[in-house]
Amino acid sequence: MHLPVDFYDGVAARLRSRLDDEGLDGVLVTHPADVAYLVGFFYAVTERPVYLWFGTDGARLCLVPELDREYAAAQGIHAEVGTYFEYPGVVTPEQHLAAELARRGLSAARVGVTGSLAHGSLERLRAVLPAVRWETTSAIASLRLVKQPAELVLHRQAAAICDEMLAAGRGLVEDAIASGRPLPTEGDLARHVIGYGTDAMYSRYDRVLYTTKLAGGLVYAGPNSAHPHGLPSRRRLERGDTVILSLGAAVLSRFVESERTFVIGEPSDEQQRYFAVTRRAQEVGTDAMTVGRTCASVNAECLDVIRDAGLGQRLRHRQGHGIGVAQHEAPWVEDGDPTVLAAGMVLSSEPGVYVPGHGGYRISDTVLVTDAVPERLTQYPRTLEENVIAA
Amino acid sequence: MHLPVDFYDGVAARLRSRLDDEGLDGVLVTHPADVAYLVGFFYAVTERPVYLWFGTDGARLCLVPELDREYAAAQGIHAEVGTYFEYPGVVTPEQHLAAELARRGLSAARVGVTGSLAHGSLERLRAVLPAVRWETTSAIASLRLVKQPAELVLHRQAAAICDEMLAAGRGLVEDAIASGRPLPTEGDLARHVIGYGTDAMYSRYDRVLYTTKLAGGLVYAGPNSAHPHGLPSRRRLERGDTVILSLGAAVLSRFVESERTFVIGEPSDEQQRYFAVTRRAQEVGTDAMTVGRTCASVNAECLDVIRDAGLGQRLRHRQGHGIGVAQHEAPWVEDGDPTVLAAGMVLSSEPGVYVPGHGGYRISDTVLVTDAVPERLTQYPRTLEENVIAA
């Protein structure tokens, strides 16, 4: 798992240009995903802040807690490294940062920060750097909208693993049925697919790095699947269940999601109907992810398939979201996001239908917007026939 | 996994009293751990905000995205539930919240927020509620400092599982040695112990809920163990290695940590020396966790053992931190925290010594401050003899 130095140089050049346009002297980067994106440093996130000063003049200084000093160097971080000892510190991390900025003549600079910065941290920064003009910038989020070719290689690798995780989950259920053993619980299935994905990462890649996780998954079946974001339970799967495997995987924190709805045994009329509507919405919505369309219009076209089928009351969420160094990131495939799609954006397409007491239906692919038709990076079969588990 | 209604009633009464003292009309709660603590709602965290209005008059209203509506009800959330459809929304979550507060006559209220609220979110709130007086409060963090008896039951259950996870990790290495198979990799070991902990949760508890995770672990060996927070790699363990298993587990999100340093095969003089100093520091530091001491003084006494042994250059972090609904929370057992210890606080005690190129040594227990001597909730053996894996 790695990205070439060219990637980081390119990102830095583009960010400098944006900061220049905004009249900023630099940006103080505080979100772990932004730090990973800009300088390739991946770390266990705690209350100890990491402050990356990214100057419009090209300076990159990453202030890390002492416990990450050698680790940052071992990762080949694309920045100079400074340290503070600990949190909260007799001399606080913010005081260390203020001293570094003062040393560089930046005590009254115009400094961008992202909206994700905790306001308590911003208050501490204002106290130690009273002359700095703090401005909220979305320059980094904008850069991250369009993925670079080197990143797409990683997204494709993650997609392959995520599809295999779906197959592994299905396999666990099939093996139980074939051998006459009790079906697994939701928790068993979650553990199994996450384990498969984790193992795949360690067996395929030399230096495994991540921001939040390598592989993750929510698994819910029967009535539990009507909760779109329910946590796995100890409920054992049953014949007749609708089962959602909602899986994610990331190579060097380039995420994908792949989600499928399975039915154990012969699907009922009700299951066939809900599945069919969900699948049609996902086809229509995915096909609509083309250059020049807005997120809002794509989402409306997708969800209209469900509304037009008389299931508007069963909607619980939008069509999808951007996906990159964070599992969920801009743009949002939702009515309130006017972002115009461009080639190189990577989006989830995951409409769903949820019937309290009965179950839920969601099919999700990770989709690359291209100059031609949208490309599904995840490719696990999507038809009901292919997602029935014989029992 | 559950807490009785008495717990939530007690927390509510104590928080109302604090808010009253601060002259606030209520607090807008936005951190998932605070939401879980105050009203017992556990959810998959995304960009979709959950806003819990906790009024000093006793009102509890939780605004959740539509996709969590039935899930919150199914969990028996101790609050009225309102919803907004999606993020970012044509009508934003903040506009929904503003309408709710207006309906309750709170458009010009004095409202507390925690320092963890993203400043971009606070900007959006200021825009839709321009007459509200926003004030940063640490009322909830203060409440969380001392654990309630019902929470300690959960911490003890988590401690038992975390100790078993250590034994499971050790067992994987011993089994490989006994059978002549290659030793596991760091990644193998991490997967194994996390899987053990996850399975234990699902087998012991009926309704498994969590904020961030059930069980987690960092595993690093040999030179990698010199990075106190390094991510597991595919490096295979070797005879002669120093190995750190840095594990965590949570029952209903009441966390513990249990960390041990193992040596594979006969320890060298160097290993014996570093282990002995670390262990002595952990004994001294843990014994010092008594009512009336300050965090800063305990930390100093603990780390002085390492400095007095001539290993001050090998320090990379403080003695420890508070632990509760979040794995790391106040108070901080560090020089910069003057908090006075009180009975019912739960702290990690985890000094370490790190030797670049050679390895790291850390021993951590989760410790309950009591009116008598400190009680270690985690009890895995700590001596070098007991932590040598024969090879």
Side-chain angles (χ1 to χ4, degrees), chain A residues 174-195:
Chain A
E174 289 178 331
D175 288 351
I177 291 171
S179 65
R181 286 196 308 274
L183 297 190
T185 66
E186 295 172 8
D188 292 337
L189 256 173
R191 181 192 165 177
H192 183 73
V193 297
I194 293 168

Side-chain angles (χ1 to χ4, degrees), chain B residues 326-347:
Chain B
Q327 190 168 352
H328 288 206
E329 63 182 37
W332 312 103
V333 189
E334 204 262 343
D335 288 343
D337 191 336
T339 302
V340 175
L341 297 187
M345 289 183 177
V346 177
L347 308 166

Side-chain angles (χ1 to χ4, degrees), chain A residues 42-48 65-71 74-75 85-90 113-123 126 135-136 185-188 190-192 194-196 198-199 201-211 217-218 226-234 303 313 315-319 321 328-329 332 334-337 356, chain B residues 42-48 65-71 74-75 85-90 113-123 126 135-136 185-188 190-192 194-196 198-199 201-211 217-218 226-234 303 313 315-319 321 328-329 332 334-337 356:
Chain A
F42 298 79
Y43 53 99
V45 177
T46 69
E47 65 287 350
R48 301 171 180 103
E66 188 65 38
L67 87 174
D68 275 333
R69 177 164 45 135
E70 286 99 356
Y71 194 48
Q75 284 184 29
F85 184 63
E86 256 295 6
Y87 178 89
V90 175
V113 290
T114 64
S116 64
L117 175 63
H119 91 94
S121 301
L122 184 55
E123 284 179 4
R126 284 188 203 280
E135 305 201 6
T136 306
T185 66
E186 295 172 8
D188 292 337
R191 181 192 165 177
H192 183 73
I194 293 168
Y196 179 92
T198 306
D199 283 351
M201 296 292 169
Y202 284 110
S203 69
R204 291 178 204 183
Y205 303 105
D206 215 12
R207 198 178 59 177
V208 173
L209 293 170
Y210 49 93
T211 47
L218 296 177
H227 302 145
H229 265 191
L231 305 169
S233 82
R234 68 186 293 180
L303 300 194
Q313 293 297 100
L315 286 172
R316 291 289 179 276
H317 59 76
R318 66 194 175 206
Q319 181 188 352
H321 54 80
H328 289 206
E329 62 182 37
W332 312 102
E334 202 263 344
D335 288 343
D337 190 337
Chain B
F42 297 79
Y43 52 99
V45 176
T46 69
E47 66 286 351
R48 300 170 180 103
E66 188 65 39
L67 88 173
D68 275 332
R69 177 162 46 132
E70 286 98 355
Y71 194 48
Q75 283 184 31
F85 184 63
E86 256 294 9
Y87 178 91
V90 174
V113 291
T114 64
S116 64
L117 175 63
H119 91 95
S121 301
L122 184 56
E123 285 179 2
R126 284 188 202 279
E135 305 201 5
T136 306
T185 66
E186 294 172 9
D188 293 337
R191 180 191 165 178
H192 183 72
I194 293 169
Y196 179 92
T198 306
D199 283 352
M201 296 291 170
Y202 284 110
S203 69
R204 292 177 203 183
Y205 303 105
D206 216 10
R207 198 178 61 177
V208 172
L209 293 169
Y210 49 95
T211 48
L218 297 176
H227 302 143
H229 264 189
L231 304 169
S233 82
R234 68 187 293 179
L303 300 194
Q313 292 298 100
L315 286 171
R316 292 289 178 278
H317 59 77
R318 66 193 173 204
Q319 181 189 352
H321 53 80
H328 288 206
E329 63 182 37
W332 312 103
E334 204 262 343
D335 288 343
D337 191 336

